[in-house]
């Protein structure tokens, strides 16, 4: 694409990745083949888009910035394998955008809405594999084990559905303009047998978010605050779920939370 782009818009998290080796590594990590459709979140100036087009059969790029979306459309006017949707990704069904339930997802995502994007992409129909460039701190939260400092609602929700892995770190100097934080490449792949089933996903999310809003309280108290009832009800529920009432949410695994949800139903 040509230069002379408009000034990066800070509120849209516009930090453009310029290191060609990192762009190639992100695209490689997706393992896209010519049979694959890739949805890209926030193509920006199209640096990652180009790498994705070299590997995948089709790319559907969702970009909220109309000016950049228009520039991309012009630059790839002769490329029928690229479609551009100029919308907020959080308002787009990813599978509908892909036009198929079998798709991959990639994105150097805007850092101010990373967590909502991760949750959005966990909803059904979800991508077969997702590769994100996110703040290192968020990537560490996603993969954190129960009981560790970084473990929280995001970790439990992702890990109940998917396997998450940090592939490598990316220095701030690889972007224009450089962000204030370090970044990392995060891979998320749905589990063949998720910890929770489709009907449980929404109540699980609500329960886990609620529990972590009280992460320093003991589960005996957390359960009462979440669902009402007396101390005996809470003890019975936790007993059924085989959870020690003295534990705090921060040490409960996704499996523990799933048992708690099922005990209540
Ligand atoms: N992919 C490009 C790259 O690697 O250089 C750009 C990455 S930049 C960190 C994030 C991109 O997401 C920007 O182009 C920004 O305009 C776009 N964006 C921000 N909020 C968005 C949203 N809600 N929906 C879709 N795109 C968004």
């Amino acid at each position: 694409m040509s230069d002379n782009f408009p000034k990066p818009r800070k509120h849209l998290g516009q930090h453009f990745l310029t290191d060609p080796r990192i762009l190639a590594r992100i695209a490689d990590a997706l393992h896209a083949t010519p049979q694959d459709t890739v949805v890209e979140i926030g193509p920006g100036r199209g640096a990652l888009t180009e790498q994705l087009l070299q590997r995948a059969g089709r790319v559907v790029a969702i970009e909220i910035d109309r000016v950049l979306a228009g520039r991309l459309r012009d630059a790839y006017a002769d490329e029928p394998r690229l479609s551009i949707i100029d919308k907020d990704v959080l308002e787009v069904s990813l599978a509908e955008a892909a036009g198929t339930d079998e798709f991959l997802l990639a994105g150097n995502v805007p850092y101010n809405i990373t967590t909502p994007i991760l949750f959005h992409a966990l909803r059904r129909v979800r991508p077969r594999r997702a590769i994100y460039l996110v703040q290192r701190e968020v990537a560490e939260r996603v993969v954190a084990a129960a009981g560790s400092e970084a473990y929280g609602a995001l970790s439990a929700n992702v890990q109940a559905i998917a396997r998450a892995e940090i592939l490598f770190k990316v220095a701030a100097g690889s972007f224009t303009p450089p962000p204030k934080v370090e970044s990392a490449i995060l891979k998320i792949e749905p589990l063949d047998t998720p910890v929770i089933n489709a009907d449980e996903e929404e109540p699980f999310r609500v329960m886990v978010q609620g529990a972590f809003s009280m992460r320093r309280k003991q589960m005996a108290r957390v359960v009462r605050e979440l669902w009402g009832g007396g101390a005996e009800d809470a003890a019975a529920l936790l007993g059924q779920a085989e959870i020690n009432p003295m534990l705090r949410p921060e040490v409960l695994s996704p499996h523990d939370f799933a048992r708690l949800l099922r005990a209540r139903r």
Side-chain angles (χ1 to χ4, degrees), residues 2-20:
S2 63
D3 275 343
N4 291 326
F5 286 105
K7 245 176 94 187
R9 295 167 76 184
K10 227 177 174 180
H11 74 286
L12 293 179
Q14 291 183 350
H15 297 280
F16 300 103
L17 194 53
T18 45
D19 184 329

Side-chain angles (χ1 to χ4, degrees), residues 7-154:
K7 245 176 94 187
R9 295 167 76 184
K10 227 177 174 180
H11 74 286
L12 293 179
Q14 291 183 350
H15 297 280
F16 300 103
L17 194 53
T18 45
D19 184 329
R21 280 167 315 158
I22 295 184
L23 286 159
R25 282 180 80 183
I26 296 175
D28 284 344
L30 200 58
H31 293 294
T33 70
Q35 280 70 49
D36 285 314
T37 296
V38 177
V39 174
E40 184 189 0
I41 299 174
R45 297 175 176 177
L48 182 59
T49 318
E50 176 59 35
Q51 296 283 333
L52 297 172
L53 280 166
Q54 286 171 15
R55 293 159 176 80
R58 282 179 61 231
V59 175
V60 179
I62 306 171
E63 172 59 63
I64 200 170
D65 185 325
R66 292 245 153 106
V67 176
L68 291 183
R71 294 286 292 266
L72 210 51
R73 206 171 269 124
D74 292 346
Y76 286 93
D78 295 333
E79 177 49 277
R81 298 182 305 122
L82 174 65
S83 322
I84 295 151
I85 300 177
D86 34 4
K87 282 202 179 143
D88 178 347
V89 65
L90 297 176
E91 287 172 8
V92 175
S93 148
L94 299 178
E96 270 176 38
T100 166
D101 286 356
E102 261 297 308
F103 64 102
L104 302 169
L105 182 68
N108 169 12
V109 300
Y111 287 1
N112 51 337
I113 53 166
T114 303
T115 303
I117 287 175
L118 293 174
F119 274 100
H120 185 57
L122 280 183
R123 289 181 198 278
R124 290 169 190 259
V125 178
R126 41 180 90 98
R128 195 171 84 235
R129 180 175 307 114
I131 303 289
Y132 299 100
L133 179 49
V134 298
Q135 305 94 301
R136 194 184 83 173
E137 177 262 333
V138 174
E140 284 169 350
R141 281 202 277 131
V142 170
V143 303
S148 67
E149 206 179 309
Y151 185 70
L154 180 63

